[in-house]
Every structure is written in C-alpha cells, then in structure tokens.
Amino acid sequence: MARIAVIGAGMGAMATAARLAVAGHRVTVYERGSTYGGSVGRYEREGFAFDTGPGLLHLPAVYRDLFVKTGKRPLEDCVELVQVDPAVRHVLADGTAVTLPGGSRGGAAAVLDQAFGAGAGDRWNAVLGRARDAWNATRRPLLEEPLRPDWQVLGRDPYPAVRGSGLLRRRPPTLAEVAARELGGELGELLAARVRAYGVDPATAPASAAVLPYMEQTFGSWYVRGGMRALATAVHERCRERKVDFVFDTPVREVLERDGRAAGLLLADGSQAAADFVVCGVDPRQLGVPLPAGGAPARGPGVTSRLTLLLALRGARPADAVHRTLVHSPGAQLTVLRPDDPAVRLDADHEAVTVSAVCGPEGPGGAPAGRTEELLDLAARAVPGLRERLLWTQARTPADIEAATGARGGAVPPPALAGAAGRMLYPANTTALPGLFLSGGWAHPGGGLAHAGMTGALVAGLIVEGAGFRGSR
C-alpha cells in the first residue's frame, strides 16, 4: 500500500483518487479551496440554484465506468441522469429557430431539410459520418490510452475531407473550412457553433473537431437532476466511501523531490506531507511541475474562459422551452440553459436560467455593464419576455473562475483534438519526475467533464500497473 498525495479536488483528481483507493492505496487530497468539484460549482440565492461550471455531461459512460469500478452502487443509483431532448435549439442571426432532436440521425436530417432545403440533412449526416471515422481512428490513442511516445502521429488530422472539395490541396482543412465547403451557409454555422461552444475556434481548429458534435449526436447530452453539482457530490461521496481523506483550505506550494523522484508536498503553511506518489490535478504550470522534454506537448491548446450570467426569472418555464439554446450573432455566441428541474427554482412560478459566452481567459474583475446588457439582449432571443420577467442577475467573470478554481485568468481548458500538428494535445499523464503524475483537465486528454474523468483511469493504471499500462480494453 502506497501513500498517494493528490493536489486539487476537481473531478479528474477525485476520479483518480477513488480508483487508487480501490486499488488499496492510502490517498489524501489537498485542496486550496473550501470544497470539492473544481469548476463544477453551485451558486444559490433566494431559492434559486445554478451550476457555475459545466451544465451538461457528454459521454456519461466515463462516470458509469468510474462508479462500476469503485463500488457496488452504480452511477444511476447515486444521481438521476436525464437525457436532453431536444438536443439543442439554434437561434440564427435572422431569428430563425432550428430545433434538433437528440439521438436521431433521421430526425435531425428531417429538421435540417425543412429549415435549409432538401439535401441539407444528408450533407449534415455525411459530415458527422466522416467525424465518426475520425472518432474511430483516434478514440483509443487520444482518449483511452496514455499519451503514446510517438504522440506526433496524433498531429495528423484523421478527418477524411471530401474528394474534390479543394480542402486537401495544400494542408489539412480547418473546421471552419469543412463547415463552409461541405455544408455551406447557415447549415455550416450550426456545425461551427457546436464546436465554438467548447471554447474551440473553428477558424484554427482541425477538421477533427467535428468529433465534438458527433459525440453529442451519438452519445447524447445529459443533465443531472438537482444540477451538475450533484455529480461532483456523488464522486466526492464515493471517494469518502473508499476512505480517501480530504484536506481543504490547504494550498500546495511545491512538489518535494528526494533521490530523484517525487516524495510529497510542501504546503503553504510550511509543513510537509510525505508521499510515495504525487498526482497533480491542477494546471501543472502553477507549481512549476517538470514536464517531459523532447518536444512533447507542454502547455496544451490555447484556452478560453467564460462570462456567465445567472438569471432569476418570475413566471413559469413555458412548456415549449428547450434545455439548451445556442444564440448566433456576428459579434458573439451565447449558450442558454433552461433546465426543467424543480430543484433549481424557487417554485413552479419561477425559472432559473444560465447564459454564458466564451471570452478571453483574462477578464476584468467585474462584468462590464455594457457586456452584461449585450448578453441579456442576446438571451432574450432565446427567452421571450426575458427583460420583463427578470428578478435579478448575478454575473460570473473569468476573475470569479480564477478565484474559485485557481486557474490563471479563469482559463477553461477544452478537450484534446487530433490534428493541428499536435497543438491541440495536452501534457502526458507522466512527467519528467518519477512518481509524479498529471490528472484533470490540464493533462491528456484535456478539459471537459468526460475528458477530465478519463484521466482517473489513465493515472490509476499507470501507478498500479506501471509504465507498460496502455489502457483498459
């Protein structure tokens, strides 16, 4: 039984801790803040409750596997998962609304044909079919295995662009070029918007970014009753069931080294915590963690942040409201979440709505009034009568995210992607210092609830089985 110190209590770090505890190790988590969950936070006020981080879960199988491997009670016995259907409503710049069903290729094609003309649905499904090929080609090396020594092969874009489209003449296409050439017009903007919502710029992202909407259409988008914070609570409780210790309000100053390997932590109060292995579940740059040399990914892709408005509304949620709406605008794109969940609203005569926009990772200390008004105007296109119904607004800026999670500038890491010469990859889960490992959204395979959760299986496998671990099959 080894002593293992985990830095941070985010979702990836807790997933790692639970798996290591089940393997018989003594695990202690050191968290700078006063609670668990990292970016999966909660804000409560006057009977309303809001998720302050991710509002939906994709690839729920990641957390189902975590709960199967770490205890007797499956995930669905610990939280109530609800598949979102319709999957998403797009409100285009001219006011046109396109509502796509969840989990139905045929249903999506019929809606798109009606909105954009005959053949639009076939073109959409053809692009997602090519995205499926990219998914199948990279699923294991990009998501289910530790980053391979010849990681450069993941720098080649696996998306099979259409012959004759002109997209492969000089270089692999970007996602924006695929959207324009293979879909065109507003139909292409639907694809770009789905990718943009992850904090990925379609103009610079590889075509393989099409796997993100493919994952949503294939595996669905899921909401946890009571808010996504309930998922963080369930993972924390599973850790406690497995005898993981949590030490909150305890910042880590540095990783200790002895005899050429990680030996524990130096805490902010000057005390030391000895360990046989250390798992860093935060941005490794915060602690100066030594990453592998030799040109391996060291920083991850360029990251963005979020400006979020939490809205308390008077009046019942309309029957025709959808859970997620993407509002398109030349100057901004807004995600509007309207969960049909009594647990997050004052009563049946009120509604809790979250709106968010991708922004730069370094924002001001408070949301500028003009920016807030702009987002409210856009949100009103998805929520008719919003201004008249509005009781109060609470803004969360990148500075608030930084205060809650410690991420520099409130940065929110996107998922890893193949292609772009490896620029969209993250540091490996192993480091240049033996005994020190990386988990969470700042390590392979990147950000997002599902991807961060995958790091738990990867790091636990590397510690338990050694350097030869290549992922579960």
Side-chain angles (χ1 to χ4, degrees), residues 380-396:
R381 295 168 55 190
V383 185
L386 183 147
R387 292 282 189 175
E388 294 75 20
R389 297 178 58 195
L390 188 61
L391 290 172
W392 50 261
T393 302
Q394 177 66 45
R396 288 184 61 83

Side-chain angles (χ1 to χ4, degrees), residues 8-10 14 31-38 40-41 229 236 246 248-249 404:
M14 289 197 296
E31 165 59 44
R32 62 182 289 276
S34 59
T35 188
Y36 53 84
V40 187
R229 176 68 177 175
H236 176 253
F246 285 81
F248 293 106
D249 299 308

Side-chain angles (χ1 to χ4, degrees), residues 1-5 20-28 242-245 274-277 463-464:
M1 178 176 69
R3 300 166 300 173
I4 300 178
L20 289 170
V22 164
H25 299 297
R26 189 165 75 245
V27 183
T28 303
R242 301 279 72 84
K243 309 303 181 185
V244 174
D245 290 325
D276 302 300
F277 296 94
I463 291 176
V464 173

Side-chain angles (χ1 to χ4, degrees), residues 424-473:
M424 304 295 288
L425 301 177
Y426 285 81
N429 306 107
T430 54
T431 71
L433 180 62
L436 174 61
F437 299 83
L438 305 181
S439 71
W442 295 99
H444 173 75
L449 277 174
H451 289 66
M454 291 173 187
T455 64
L458 296 178
V459 174
L462 287 166
I463 291 176
V464 173
E465 298 186 26
F469 173 71
R470 296 311 305 163
S472 57
R473 296 184 180 274

Side-chain angles (χ1 to χ4, degrees), residues 32 37-40 52-54 198-200 281-286 299-308 357-364 396-415 426 440-443 446-448 452:
R32 62 182 289 276
S39 65
V40 187
T52 58
Y198 286 83
V200 175
V282 301
D283 184 347
R285 291 172 292 176
Q286 295 181 26
R299 296 180 61 86
V303 294
T304 57
S305 188
R306 302 289 190 276
L307 176 58
T308 301
V358 173
C359 64
E362 296 184 4
R396 288 184 61 83
T397 68
D400 294 318
I401 297 175
E402 180 174 8
T405 68
R408 294 177 180 176
V412 179
Y426 285 81
W442 295 99

